[in-house]
């Protein structure tokens, strides 16, 4: 009797230990949640693009406060841009150095309109990582990063059009598109 109880208890413990091993998706999601729970943090994001890419963004530096302001400093072409975000409100410096809201950038013509898109899509890295991890097909640790192909929804063209400059943005094109690369890494 004691032997069967111990065997059964051993099987339950072994099963719970096996189930307790976090998956890579659990690890990335937990890390994003832990980062998002911090009082504040800073980051630098560098986007890697092919050498022949017409647009090569410079690094973006950011600071964020939990439930507060997020400030960004980024270079786009030869312009150094400063931005401030809080909730759905956002403003940034324009080419002439004056401050404009995302809505004011939306009314601009040419490249200035792009800043409105950037501001509306900007997210804190913790939020961005959690969102992208939710679109991972099979997240795996590769060397010192976690990487995965994205689901069809995560790699959809409509999602790719919301790609951010404020945080690391993987190529988010569906596998069957001409410039395929539905892959993310953090």
């Amino acid at each position: 009797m004691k032997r069967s109880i111990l065997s059964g208890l051993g099987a339950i413990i072994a099963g719970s230990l096996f189930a307790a091993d976090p998956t890579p998706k659990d690890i990335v999601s937990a890390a994003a949640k832990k980062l998002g729970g911090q009082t504040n943090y800073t980051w630098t994001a560098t986007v890697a693009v092919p050498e022949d890419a017409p647009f090569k963004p410079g690094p973006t530096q950011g600071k964020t406060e939990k439930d507060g302001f997020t400030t960004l400093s980024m270079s786009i072409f030869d312009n150094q841009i400063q931005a401030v975000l809080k909730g759905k409100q956002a403003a940034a410096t324009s080419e002439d150095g004056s401050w404009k809201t995302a809505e004011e950038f939306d009314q601009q013509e040419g490249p200035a309109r792009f800043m409105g898109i950037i501001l509306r899509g900007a997210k804190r890295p913790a939020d961005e990582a959690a969102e992208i991890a939710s679109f991972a097909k099979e997240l795996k640790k590769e060397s010192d990063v976690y990487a995965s192909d994205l689901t069809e929804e995560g790699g959809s063209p409509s999602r790719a059009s919301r790609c951010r400059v404020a945080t690391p943005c993987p190529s988010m094109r569906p596998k069957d598109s001409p410039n395929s690369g539905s892959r993310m890494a953090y």
Side-chain angles (χ1 to χ4, degrees):
M1 178 77 164
K2 286 182 185 179
R3 183 176 282 174
S4 63
I5 291 174
L6 287 176
S7 296
L9 191 56
I12 291 171
I13 291 171
S16 66
L17 287 176
F18 179 72
D21 283 346
T23 66
K25 196 170 195 172
D26 294 337
I27 292 168
V28 170
S29 297
K33 185 176 180 177
K34 182 177 179 180
L35 180 61
Q38 298 296 311
T39 304
N40 58 59
Y41 60 92
T42 62
W43 73 92
T44 299
T46 304
V47 179
V49 296
E51 280 299 316
D52 61 347
F55 175 65
K56 295 182 177 101
T60 297
Q61 294 161 337
K63 298 177 184 177
T64 192
E65 303 169 350
K66 185 177 182 180
D67 301 324
F69 291 95
T70 297
T71 59
L72 303 171
S73 176
M74 63 188 110
S75 59
I76 300 177
F77 297 108
D78 293 331
N79 300 315
Q80 189 63 33
I81 308 293
Q82 305 300 316
V84 178
L85 317 164
K86 183 168 184 183
K88 300 225 180 252
Q89 301 297 313
T93 54
S94 63
E95 288 182 32
D96 66 5
S98 64
W99 285 87
K100 294 184 179 179
T101 65
E103 292 78 17
E104 290 173 315
F105 279 111
D106 289 340
Q107 303 305 314
Q108 301 289 306
E109 295 296 323
R113 182 176 280 191
F114 184 59
M115 183 52 63
I117 295 167
I118 291 170
L119 292 172
R120 278 192 315 285
K123 291 186 177 186
R124 300 176 318 144
D127 300 331
E128 184 78 359
E131 180 182 10
I132 292 174
S134 74
F135 291 119
K137 282 185 181 177
E138 187 178 346
L139 203 56
K140 294 180 182 175
K141 187 166 185 178
E142 296 177 0
S143 189
D144 61 344
V145 299
Y146 288 92
S148 176
D149 290 329
L150 297 174
T151 62
E152 190 172 315
E153 181 185 357
S156 72
S158 64
R159 180 162 161 59
S161 69
R162 297 188 316 242
C163 187
R164 288 105 176 118
V165 171
T167 56
C169 185
S171 174
M172 293 189 218
R173 298 184 192 278
K175 279 193 172 278
D176 57 330
S177 75
N179 294 320
S180 183
S182 301
R183 192 143 174 85
M184 55 76 79
Y186 269 93

